[in-house]
């Protein structure tokens, strides 16, 4: 059941505030994706309180506004008619552009600063992915090599089982998993990493993944599925990597300057 079906099913139990939100969204549900960048913005447009928006989202079965907005983004991406674009070329570019712009709705600068510090403090950096996400993990490794940081790519379940179960201290594991579902072989080891006190970074496009509760840092990115065109979501993972590597590089330079200053 998509979010539109959820709303229609819940209509008999709507309050007056719910009706205001419903009518606002019904006129143009793209205001959630295109115009309203925060829950406060949407509340102002619907002329209700922020808490009313949260209650509305929870009435539909969502834990919070980010999940609510995420499902709207899926509907929005899948309902843009290709005919409104001059060409398929424009359609594809616009789809990627929208997804990239939406990253700022999911992450803040502080998220990247925090992760950069964690990466630099870690004794071991493990980059985990399966299938196409394995290539994403490898791309992350290449980018880290460019700033003289060593890491290990793990795409094999046997190897990950050993590494996840070990008692080594101060390790950080990045798990790239688009769907965040149990059928993806490497995902089963996210819980193991959590239980063995590893720093676990889960990077996914599924706000409802069962592995969210095992993440030290849960990174949710926008989905790029569109109607009638197959586009690979890994591109959004790569954008995330480029932003993070930039912050790691900047933090590395800061720490080097601090060290040289103390030495002089």
């Amino acid at each position: 059941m998509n979010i539109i079906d959820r709303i229609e099913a819940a209509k008999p139990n709507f309050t007056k505030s719910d009706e205001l939100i419903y009518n606002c969204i019904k006129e143009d549900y793209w205001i959630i994706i295109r115009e309203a960048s925060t829950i406060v913005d949407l509340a102002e447009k619907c002329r209700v309180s922020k808490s009313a928006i949260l209650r509305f989202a929870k009435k539909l079965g969502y834990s919070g506004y980010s999940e609510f907005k995420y499902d709207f983004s899926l509907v929005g991406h899948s309902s843009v008619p290709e005919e409104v674009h001059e060409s398929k070329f424009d359609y594809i570019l616009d789809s990627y552009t929208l997804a990239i712009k939406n990253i700022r709705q999911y992450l803040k600068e502080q998220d990247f600063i925090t992760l950069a510090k964690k990466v630099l403090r870690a004794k071991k950096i493990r980059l985990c992915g399966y299938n196409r996400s394995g290539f994403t993990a490898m791309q992350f490794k290449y980018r880290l090599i460019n700033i003289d940081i060593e890491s290990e790519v793990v795409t094999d379940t046997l190897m990950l089982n050993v590494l996840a179960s070990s008692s080594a201290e101060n390790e950080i594991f990045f798990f790239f998993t688009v769907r965040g579902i149990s059928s993806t072989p490497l995902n089963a080891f996210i819980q193991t990493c959590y239980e063995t006190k590893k720093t676990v970074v889960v990077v996914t496009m599924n706000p409802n993944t069962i592995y969210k509760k095992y993440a030290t840092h849960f990174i949710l990115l926008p989905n790029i599925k569109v109607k009638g065109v197959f586009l690979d979501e890994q591109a959004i993972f790569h954008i995330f990597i480029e932003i993070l590597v930039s912050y790691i590089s900047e933090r590395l330079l800061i720490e080097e300057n601090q060290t040289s200053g103390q030495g002089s």
Side-chain angles (χ1 to χ4, degrees):
M1 179 182 292
N2 65 33
I3 192 167
I4 303 301
D5 294 331
R6 289 191 187 193
I7 290 175
E8 292 300 323
K11 278 177 63 177
N13 298 316
F14 278 177
T15 63
K16 290 183 178 180
S17 293
D18 293 335
E19 288 287 349
L20 289 173
I21 298 168
Y22 170 74
N23 290 332
C24 182
I25 293 172
K26 187 177 180 181
E27 288 182 7
D28 181 12
Y29 59 78
W30 269 75
I31 62 172
I32 297 177
I33 308 169
R34 184 179 61 233
E35 297 176 13
S37 58
T38 68
I39 187 174
V40 174
D41 293 330
L42 182 60
E44 290 178 353
K45 289 179 181 295
C46 297
R47 297 182 180 180
V48 297
S49 66
K50 174 183 172 181
S51 58
I53 298 291
L54 286 173
R55 286 195 297 271
F56 185 80
K58 290 181 178 180
K59 182 174 292 186
L60 299 178
Y62 298 99
S63 63
Y65 181 70
S66 61
E67 291 184 7
F68 171 73
K69 182 173 181 176
Y70 176 83
D71 269 12
F72 259 113
S73 73
L74 294 185
V75 172
H77 289 169
S78 64
S79 62
V80 180
E82 190 174 341
E83 301 78 41
V84 304
H85 296 76
E86 294 182 1
S87 66
K88 186 177 293 293
F89 175 72
D90 290 331
Y91 183 50
I92 293 172
L93 284 182
D94 287 348
S95 300
Y96 275 117
T97 299
L98 178 61
I100 292 170
K101 286 183 176 180
N102 281 343
I103 291 176
R104 63 168 54 93
Q105 310 300 335
Y106 294 77
L107 297 170
K108 304 299 181 185
E109 183 178 40
Q110 188 57 49
D111 296 318
F112 291 100
I113 294 173
T114 299
L115 282 178
K117 291 179 179 179
K118 289 290 183 70
V119 168
L120 291 176
R121 291 171 185 165
K123 290 183 179 179
K124 295 289 184 180
I125 304 168
R126 317 287 190 187
L127 312 175
C128 311
Y130 178 74
N131 202 345
R132 296 198 308 279
S133 293
F135 292 109
T136 294
M138 185 62 72
Q139 173 65 16
F140 195 5
K141 176 182 175 67
Y142 289 150
R143 297 296 289 127
L144 289 175
I145 288 174
N146 288 338
I147 54 176
D148 295 324
I149 294 179
E150 293 186 3
S151 62
E152 180 179 0
V153 172
V154 187
T155 59
D156 178 77
T157 54
L158 293 177
M159 178 60 73
L160 185 54
N161 182 41
V162 173
L163 295 174
S165 303
S166 72
S167 58
E169 296 181 356
N170 199 15
E171 293 184 329
I172 185 169
F173 281 70
F174 282 81
F175 284 87
F176 292 93
T177 171
V178 173
R179 300 284 174 262
I181 55 179
S182 57
S183 61
T184 302
L186 299 188
N187 287 358
F189 298 99
I190 295 176
Q191 181 177 352
T192 304
C193 287
Y194 168 81
E195 292 171 346
T196 51
K197 309 301 182 182
K198 308 291 195 301
T199 296
V200 181
V201 183
V202 176
V203 187
T204 185
M205 295 173 184
N206 178 9
N208 303 311
T209 175
I210 61 173
Y211 301 108
K212 182 177 182 179
K213 60 184 176 181
Y214 303 120
T216 312
H217 302 280
F218 182 70
I219 306 299
L220 180 63
L221 295 174
N223 191 287
I224 198 171
K225 285 294 184 183
V226 291
K227 186 177 181 180
V229 180
F230 175 74
L231 299 180
D232 195 346
E233 297 95 335
Q234 300 298 323
I236 305 304
F237 279 165
H238 286 220
I239 295 295
F240 165 77
I241 288 170
E242 291 305 312
I243 297 172
L244 179 55
V245 169
S246 177
Y247 277 90
I248 295 172
S249 177
E250 180 181 51
R251 186 67 197 176
L252 188 61
L253 182 60
I254 291 172
E255 293 186 1
E256 288 176 351
N257 290 337
Q258 290 175 343
T259 301
S260 61
Q262 291 173 358
S264 61

